[in-house]
Amino acid sequence: MRRWITLLLATTCALAVATVYIAQPLLESMARDLGVAQGKVGWVVGVTQAGYALGLVLIVPLGDLVERKRLLLGQLLLSALALVGVGMAQQWALLLVALTLTGLMAVMVQVMVAYAATLAAPAQQGQAVGTVTGGVVLGILLARLASGVLADLAGWRSVYFAAAGALLLMAALLLRYLPGTQPAAHRPGYLRLIGSLFSLYRHDRLLRQRGLFGLLIFAAFSVLWSSMVLPLSTAPLALSHTQIGLFGLAGVAGALAASRAGRLADRGLGERTTGLALALLTLSWLPTAFVGQSLLAFALGVVLLDFAVQAVHVTNQSLLLAGRAALASRLIGAYMCCYSLGSGVGAVLASGVYGRWGWPAVCLLGAAFSAAALGCWLWQGRTRAAAAALRCSGQNL
């Protein structure tokens, strides 16, 4: 696969995933504009992730059934329409419906990750996934900054209109430059394809293990990013949208981790990378808790958390896709359902916890998700060690 095609997919991923995260610096403004209580604002992220989860089940598996280029173009156009709907919404219920549709179409990101893994040579799959996922990370980070700047200049609604225009531009570029692919020769029907997605959970132990990691790390990720705007935007800090968006740049280390973790997985170091990253994720909540005392300490916590989450995320995908290109879309869809569930649960819980107990309780919630992921990895390590010992004892008989 040519390098520039990988970069084109990474850029498209960046813009597509931005549609999910541009709301995070805007939550306070959206709630105030539509007269919504602060404790309910987490539903903006929650319904977007719910739509994302539904898209993972109903749309992503289509990448193993139909021509992926056509699927991506359709998703880009429908996503642009949904974003215009968000920008025009005048009622809370209509806003949530439009955001659900936005999340539903944003799963084009996972179609592109599977696309990159399919086009790459087996020895370069981890690197290709890492590069495309690095674009996803940059999209998440720059989305927060760009949405903050645009909101300060022209209001939060302008952010969604600008995002719609950017997706239409990418649709034109993909139509012109992205090579087409042939779907598999032996293709199951759509309902059977969806059914096989669920059967993967039952029969694929690696998917269950990595899906659990994905659920827990993105619950922790969402706890931070969906609620940090609340203490940062209110007294005594009272930061602007742009200033809050700048914290996204502090997590640029996550983009570096994404590419590096893919190469480590190619070298057989995926398990070690996972354990170290989960330990770092758990420790990241300590400096994050001092947001009221030191913004520098808070920024350090953001760097550590983003680095750890993206390292585990890329490792998960690299290990799942290794040598299984024919199942790429379904594997990514099944794994990302866990991601989306964790993100939605984390966002809803974080806003409720903040409204009742404040920021320290939010940090405890995030640390609990992180520690649970680390505990699962340690338990699985003991199981792997016991299995290896059993095999060795069998060989010695």
Side-chain angles (χ1 to χ4, degrees), residues 126-215:
Q127 184 175 353
V129 170
T131 300
V132 175
T133 306
V136 174
V137 177
L138 289 175
I140 294 172
L141 301 177
L142 296 179
R144 299 182 181 111
L145 176 59
S147 67
V149 172
L150 282 175
D152 283 337
L153 293 175
W156 70 266
R157 296 180 186 275
S158 68
V159 176
Y160 285 91
F161 294 134
L167 289 190
L168 291 175
L169 175 61
M170 290 310 303
L173 291 175
L174 288 176
L175 179 63
R176 175 66 179 83
Y177 295 109
L178 188 67
T181 59
Q182 291 295 327
H186 302 286
R187 293 175 289 169
Y190 179 67
L191 293 179
R192 186 176 177 183
L193 191 71
I194 300 300
S196 70
L197 183 70
F198 292 100
S199 69
L200 286 174
Y201 290 113
R202 187 170 67 253
H203 299 297
D204 196 316
R205 182 179 180 182
L206 181 62
L207 174 61
R208 293 195 300 271
Q209 293 175 346
R210 292 290 155 175
L212 180 59
F213 289 150
L215 187 153

Side-chain angles (χ1 to χ4, degrees), residues 10-25 109 131-147 221 245 248-249 251-252 254-255 306 310:
T11 303
T12 309
C13 279
L15 292 173
V17 78
T19 64
V20 177
Y21 292 94
I22 53 178
Q24 290 181 347
V109 172
T131 300
V132 175
T133 306
V136 174
V137 177
L138 289 175
I140 294 172
L141 301 177
L142 296 179
R144 299 182 181 111
L145 176 59
S147 67
F221 183 86
L249 296 181
V252 72
D306 271 18
Q310 297 306 326

Side-chain angles (χ1 to χ4, degrees), residues 314-332:
V314 173
T315 302
N316 285 346
Q317 294 178 91
S318 298
L319 293 177
L320 284 172
L321 295 177
R324 298 196 284 181
L327 298 174
S329 290
R330 278 166 283 177
L331 284 169
I332 288 293

Side-chain angles (χ1 to χ4, degrees), residues 29-37 92:
S29 296
M30 296 169 79
R32 185 171 59 251
D33 187 20
L34 297 174
V36 177
W92 180 245

